[in-house]
Amino acid sequence: MPAVRTPRSRVSAWLTVLVAGLVAAIVVVGFWRPWATPAATVAAGAGDAAVPLTPAALELPENPTVLIFGDSWTYGSAAAAPTLGYAYVVAQLAEWTTIVDGVRGSGYLKPGIDGPDFGTRIAALDPALDPDLVIVQGSINDRNLPADGYRAAVDAAWDDLAATYPRAQIVILGPAPQVLPVEAATARIDRDLAAAAAARGWWYISPLMQDWITTDNYAAVIDTGIGRYHPTTLGHRYLAERLAAAVGALTR
C-alpha cells in the first residue's frame, strides 16, 4: 500500500499554527513569570506613568513586633470592646506582638475625633518602638475632602514613617468599604494609595480589589446600626483573618 503523503500546503499551514502557538506560549510565560516574586496590587492613577517597583518578599522573625496604624477600624470601633478589634485579634492569629495606634475619624488630610491627621500622628511616633513591620490602614475618612493635595499628604506622611523606622518593612492596607456599592471617592483613594505604594516598592493590600466585603457577607461584617458602619465583633475577627493571610502570603 503506498505511503500517504501530506500535501506541502497543509504542512506549511500546520507549521505556521505550531510556530504561532509556541510564540504565544513564550509571551504568556514571559509576562506571567511564575518564578518571580509576586508584584504588588497596583491600580495606577492617571498621573502615574512610571513602571511600578516590585516589592521584595517580607522577611519577618518569629513573633515579630508589628505597628498597626490607622483610623477607627484600627481603634476597634463597634467591636464589643476595642481590644476585640482586628488589630488586636490579628496578634493572636498570626503570633505577632502588635502596637495599635488607631484614631477615630483620622485620615491623611482629616483630623480625628481624639487625635490629629495621619501625617501629624506619624511625625509624633516614638522611634524607640523599632517595629519589624508597620501596617498603615485606611482611610475612608478623606473621601469627603477634595482630592487636591491628597497625594502630597500621603507622600509626606510616608516619608516621615520611613525615616522614623528605617529598619521596618512597611505594608499599606487600603480602605475597606463601609457601604455597598463602594463609593467613588473610596475607590479613588484606593487607586491613589496603590499607585503611591507601588512607586516606593511597598506592598499594597486592597480589601476593595480582593473583595473582602461583598453583598454576601456585608450584613455579618458591618454594623449599620449602633456601630455606625464599622465592623462588628465578628467582622473585626474576619478582617484579622484576612489580614493575617494576606501578610502571610507576602512573607518569605
Side-chain angles (χ1 to χ4, degrees), residues 32-49:
W32 176 34
R33 296 186 307 152
W35 57 84
T37 301
T41 301
V42 176
D48 295 281

Side-chain angles (χ1 to χ4, degrees), residues 106-111 118 139-147 150 185 188-189:
S106 183
Y108 285 96
L109 295 174
K110 184 179 179 297
F118 276 24
S139 169
I140 63 173
N141 292 320
D142 293 312
R143 70 191 186 282
N144 295 324
L145 298 177
Y150 181 77
R188 185 262 304 168
I189 288 172

Side-chain angles (χ1 to χ4, degrees), residues 21-36:
L22 288 173
V23 170
I26 292 169
V27 170
V28 168
V29 172
F31 277 102
W32 176 34
R33 296 186 307 152
W35 57 84

Side-chain angles (χ1 to χ4, degrees), residues 150-186:
Y150 181 77
R151 178 63 181 266
V154 170
D155 285 334
W158 290 1
D159 284 345
D160 280 349
L161 183 64
T164 302
Y165 302 118
R167 192 186 68 85
Q169 298 161 93
I170 299 174
V171 170
I172 306 302
L173 175 61
Q178 86 286 13
V179 294
L180 292 177
V182 176
E183 295 175 318
T186 300

